[in-house]
């Protein structure tokens, strides 16, 4: 009897970085476990030594920790069903493979790669629906098998798939699924290097680790009949299966590295917030049945159910991710953003600038509605950190007239008189000069913005002046009059 407590696992192969599709699989397993007071297990499926990448396990663990998906059992924290690295469980797989061989449900195959290749080519010539092993070694005598084993002839272990059988199972997302065993190959269970294939290791571990629900990507659906046959061969109760829809590019092609970033680390390094990425990934194939799109992780746990996962492929829409990132950023307190901004500044060209927390909070308040990423609190408003080195050409042409320098000098004189000016003081001074010169305020505001920031857009004019402070504003007006005068000349 399967453990009544929900137990799910995320079982990646250490072949590189964590793909966003892998993050979604991990997330859905995590949400399902937390929703049902179950256990979320991390297992590393590292039996394909040809594809093993040094450091990939550490990368996977780091990415999961960054995303906030804390597992209850895993290779680095242990648990009652360890070890959680398949390469440390080889004896277990050998034992279960021998059990199948002794029951006639699996057999040794000594065919050479050359024979298998010739068989494949012949089947392709015959235009068979798929290449399959022809069960040649199933018919070896006991003495032939023993002789080959004694000689150390290279071998694999294959599952003996009975022909003309209907293989069926229920999938939470796909419904009732049926396969014809005539289309299922006698798959390899133990490779010639003694390592198990994914199929054997996966089923044995899921059983021994008491996994109740196997939640994984749609690409594993075609392997499920092989797994069902193994469960039945061992006489084990099957877990509940749920196969998640593919992730697609906007052109409906499968999401792949060739068409852009797919690694979680890429998005982290670009400055996406983990809350936004988790929110976005949760909606790739699932919805709560309403129009809500903004979620924190606790709300996702509360709302999540496998029954609301769609069959259709989910389109990876970067614009939506950017929107969610901006929304999550805006919902953070100024203090939270301050902490993130200081970290970003410490890695920037402004790391040696002494900027007070008070000043940074003012910048945050001025820019919060205008940014999507933390780094934009720096690079979208460099003028808060240094005087402009150049001035926007379009704004010069539009807003810098022959009488502008004289008007700004008049405004500067008024600013100089101010003592510890507030935003309102700057505004009143500008209004006063506007009246005295008998010109519209825009005639002063646009060139003033250009003078102090080098740009034509940004936060409110008086926020900008207040944050920069009187002395810096005065200095920048003088500098602009001098520099823009040379540009105009």
């Amino acid at each position: 009897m399967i453990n009544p407590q929900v137990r799910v696992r995320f079982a990646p192969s250490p072949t590189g970085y964590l793909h966003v599709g892998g993050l979604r699989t991990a997330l859905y397993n995590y949400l399902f476990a937390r929703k049902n007071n179950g256990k979320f297990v991390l297992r590393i499926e590292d039996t394909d030594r040809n594809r093993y990448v040094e450091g990939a396990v550490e990368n996977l663990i780091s990415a999961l920790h960054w995303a906030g998906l804390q597992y209850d059992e895993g290779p680095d924290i242990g648990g009652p069903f360890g070890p959680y690295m398949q390469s440390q469980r080889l004896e277990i797989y050998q034992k279960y493979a021998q059990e199948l061989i002794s029951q006639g449900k699996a057999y040794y195959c000594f065919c050479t790669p050359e024979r298998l290749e010739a068989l494949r080519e012949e089947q392709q010539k015959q235009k068979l629906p798929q290449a399959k092993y022809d069960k040649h070694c199933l018919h070896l005598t006991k003495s032939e098998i023993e002789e080959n084993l004694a000689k150390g002839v290279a071998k694999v272990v294959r599952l003996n798939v009975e022909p003309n059988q209907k293989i069926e199972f229920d999938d939470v997302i796909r419904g009732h699924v049926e396969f014809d065993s005539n289309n299922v190959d006698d798959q390899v269970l133990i490779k010639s290097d003694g390592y198990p294939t994914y199929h054997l290791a996966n089923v044995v571990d899921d059983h021994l680790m008491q996994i109740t629900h196997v939640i994984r990507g749609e690409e594993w659906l075609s392997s499920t009949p092989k797994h069902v046959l193994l469960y039945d061969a061992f006489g084990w109760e099957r877990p509940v299966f749920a196969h998640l829809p593919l992730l697609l590019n906007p052109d409906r092609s499968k999401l792949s590295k060739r068409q852009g970033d797919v690694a979680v680390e890429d998005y982290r390094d670009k400055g996406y917030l983990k809350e936004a990425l988790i929110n976005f990934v949760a909606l790739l194939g699932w919805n709560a049945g309403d129009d809500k799109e903004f979620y924190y992780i606790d709300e996702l746990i509360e709302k999540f159910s496998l029954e609301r996962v769609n069959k259709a492929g989910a389109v990876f829409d970067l614009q939506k991710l950017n929107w969610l990132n901006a929304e999550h950023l805006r919902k953070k307190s100024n203090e939270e953003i301050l902490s993130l901004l200081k970290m970003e500044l410490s890695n920037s060209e402004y790391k040696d600038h002494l900027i007070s927390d008070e000043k940074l909070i003012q910048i945050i308040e001025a820019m919060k509605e205008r940014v999507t990423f933390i780094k934009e609190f720096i690079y979208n408003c460099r003028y808060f950190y240094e005087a402009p080195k150049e001035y926007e050409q379009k704004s010069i042409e539009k807003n810098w007239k022959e009488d502008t320098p004289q008007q700004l000098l008049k405004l500067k004189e008024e600013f100089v008189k101010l003592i510890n000016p507030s935003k309102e003081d700057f505004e009143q001074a500008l209004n006063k000069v506007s009246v005295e010169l008998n010109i519209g305020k825009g005639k002063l505001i646009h060139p003033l913005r250009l003078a102090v920031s080098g740009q034509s857009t940004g936060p409110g004019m008086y926020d900008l002046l207040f944050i920069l402070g009187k002395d810096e504003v005065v200095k920048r007006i003088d500098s602009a009059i001098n520099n823009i005068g040379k540009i105009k000349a």
Side-chain angles (χ1 to χ4, degrees):
M1 178 68 185
I2 283 182
N3 189 330
Q5 182 189 47
V6 163
R7 288 180 57 81
V8 296
R9 50 54 167 190
F10 176 52
S13 299
T15 54
Y17 292 96
L18 179 59
H19 187 288
V20 287
L23 178 65
R24 184 191 60 176
T25 299
L27 175 62
Y28 283 15
N29 276 280
Y30 174 85
L31 296 175
F32 187 74
R34 295 292 174 262
K35 173 73 179 284
N36 293 285
N37 298 312
K39 296 292 184 187
F40 173 50
V41 178
L42 175 65
R43 184 175 74 227
I44 303 297
E45 303 202 333
D46 60 341
T47 57
D48 188 343
R49 304 312 285 176
N50 293 325
R51 297 181 65 221
Y52 179 83
V53 173
E54 198 66 43
V57 174
E58 292 76 12
N59 286 334
L60 284 163
I61 288 173
S62 168
L64 289 174
H65 284 328
W66 173 78
L69 304 185
Q70 303 302 330
Y71 40 89
D72 303 297
E73 301 166 27
D76 55 332
I77 59 174
F81 299 98
Y84 294 90
M85 301 274 291
Q86 287 188 333
S87 58
Q88 298 169 12
R89 300 170 64 83
L90 301 185
E91 289 179 11
I92 297 171
Y93 310 128
Q94 291 287 351
K95 168 181 173 256
Y96 283 101
Q98 288 302 320
E99 186 179 308
L100 292 177
I101 291 170
S102 68
Q103 295 172 7
K105 293 173 180 175
Y107 58 95
Y108 289 114
C109 173
F110 301 96
C111 289
T112 62
E114 292 75 23
R115 181 181 186 276
L116 294 174
E117 183 57 35
L119 178 65
R120 192 177 299 114
E121 287 175 5
E122 180 59 35
Q123 290 179 344
Q124 283 172 347
K125 278 183 200 167
Q126 295 175 23
K127 300 199 171 158
L128 297 178
Q130 70 179 91
K132 278 178 58 185
Y133 182 62
D134 61 358
K135 290 184 181 284
H136 173 76
C137 289
L138 177 63
H139 307 296
L140 296 177
T141 64
K142 188 177 180 186
S143 60
E144 286 175 312
I145 293 169
E146 286 173 353
E147 186 180 340
N148 283 337
L149 290 175
K151 285 181 182 174
V153 177
K155 67 185 184 301
V156 298
V157 176
R158 291 183 180 272
L159 183 68
N160 183 14
V161 178
E162 297 287 342
N164 306 316
Q165 303 292 311
K166 194 197 300 186
I167 307 168
E168 49 190 329
F169 58 93
D170 291 315
D171 186 286
V172 177
I173 297 163
R174 313 261 149 199
H176 190 69
V177 184
E178 291 184 5
F179 285 85
D180 182 343
S181 71
N182 293 321
N183 297 324
V184 179
D185 196 13
D186 281 11
Q187 80 239 23
V188 173
L189 302 179
I190 299 286
K191 294 175 285 188
S192 56
D193 61 3
Y195 277 78
T197 58
Y198 168 82
H199 306 295
L200 178 66
N202 181 279
V203 168
V204 167
D205 286 347
D206 281 349
H207 173 72
L208 295 181
M209 294 180 182
Q210 298 183 9
I211 300 303
T212 59
H213 295 72
V214 170
I215 305 167
R216 60 190 177 192
E218 182 184 291
E219 63 270 23
W220 294 111
L221 187 62
S222 59
S223 297
T224 306
K226 301 175 182 181
H227 303 162
V228 166
L229 288 174
L230 279 168
Y231 278 106
D232 294 351
F234 285 120
W236 294 339
E237 188 172 347
R238 304 173 189 175
V240 175
F241 292 106
H243 287 88
L244 310 175
L246 291 173
L247 296 188
L248 306 174
N249 292 301
D251 65 2
R252 310 296 295 181
S253 62
K254 187 178 176 184
L255 190 69
S256 69
K257 189 75 177 172
R258 288 190 302 279
Q259 291 180 267
D261 296 322
V262 296
V264 171
E265 291 84 350
D266 291 336
Y267 291 98
R268 179 188 65 195
D269 294 346
K270 284 189 170 182
Y272 286 94
L273 298 169
K274 65 181 179 184
E275 299 92 339
L277 189 60
I278 286 291
N279 186 165
F280 174 71
V281 167
L283 299 175
L284 290 174
W286 170 87
N287 68 75
D290 53 30
D291 295 330
K292 183 171 176 178
E293 292 190 303
F294 184 94
Y295 287 97
Y296 290 115
I297 189 78
D298 290 347
E299 297 172 291
L300 289 170
I301 291 170
E302 182 190 336
K303 298 270 190 183
F304 187 77
S305 75
L306 289 173
E307 286 73 21
R308 294 220 50 95
V309 176
N310 306 315
K311 287 184 202 173
V315 173
F316 194 99
D317 180 355
L318 198 58
Q319 285 184 315
K320 186 172 179 181
L321 174 56
N322 289 341
W323 173 78
L324 280 169
N325 205 70
E327 289 298 303
H328 275 276
L329 189 51
R330 279 192 261 285
K331 293 278 197 299
K332 285 186 177 293
S333 69
N334 288 345
E335 287 67 31
E336 287 176 287
I337 296 175
L338 175 65
S339 175
L340 295 169
L341 176 54
K342 286 169 82 169
M343 206 180 307
E344 192 75 45
L345 277 167
S346 70
N347 295 314
S348 79
E349 65 205 86
Y350 303 114
K351 62 186 175 193
D352 297 326
H353 290 217
L354 297 174
I355 308 165
S356 69
D357 286 3
E358 181 186 8
K359 180 80 73 179
L360 290 175
I361 290 282
Q362 290 170 355
I363 294 171
I364 288 166
E365 287 178 339
M367 294 297 295
K368 208 172 188 178
E369 298 299 318
R370 298 172 170 270
V371 301
T372 299
F373 299 97
I374 288 290
K375 61 188 174 187
E376 291 176 352
F377 282 109
I378 304 172
Y379 302 112
N380 283 16
C381 52
R382 288 176 179 272
Y383 43 79
F384 283 129
Y385 306 93
E386 62 177 345
K389 294 187 173 75
E390 50 190 40
Y391 301 87
E392 190 181 301
Q393 189 60 38
K394 276 187 184 175
S395 185
I396 293 175
E397 292 166 8
K398 184 179 177 184
N399 299 309
W400 200 271
K401 307 301 180 187
E402 197 175 326
D403 51 359
T404 296
Q406 286 306 117
Q407 292 166 350
L408 286 184
L409 283 172
K410 178 78 175 161
L411 184 60
K412 184 189 89 166
E413 288 170 15
E414 207 59 43
F415 285 167
V416 168
K417 297 175 190 172
L418 301 174
I419 299 168
N420 295 326
S422 65
K423 285 190 275 190
E424 291 73 23
D425 293 332
F426 279 115
E427 184 175 9
Q428 286 169 10
L430 188 139
N431 289 343
K432 182 182 175 191
V433 173
S434 166
V435 170
E436 286 176 2
L437 295 176
N438 195 28
I439 57 174
K441 285 189 285 187
K443 285 278 185 75
L444 289 173
I445 288 175
H446 296 306
L448 176 60
R449 180 184 291 281
L450 180 65
V452 298
S453 73
Q455 298 181 12
S456 60
T457 59
M461 185 71 247
Y462 306 111
D463 289 313
L464 180 56
L465 299 176
F466 176 69
I467 293 168
L468 290 173
K470 180 184 82 173
D471 293 346
E472 185 65 20
V473 167
V474 165
K475 198 190 303 179
R476 290 188 186 189
I477 290 173
D478 284 337
S479 182
I481 290 170
N482 183 37
N483 291 324
I484 295 175
K486 289 177 184 173
I487 294 169
K488 293 282 280 189

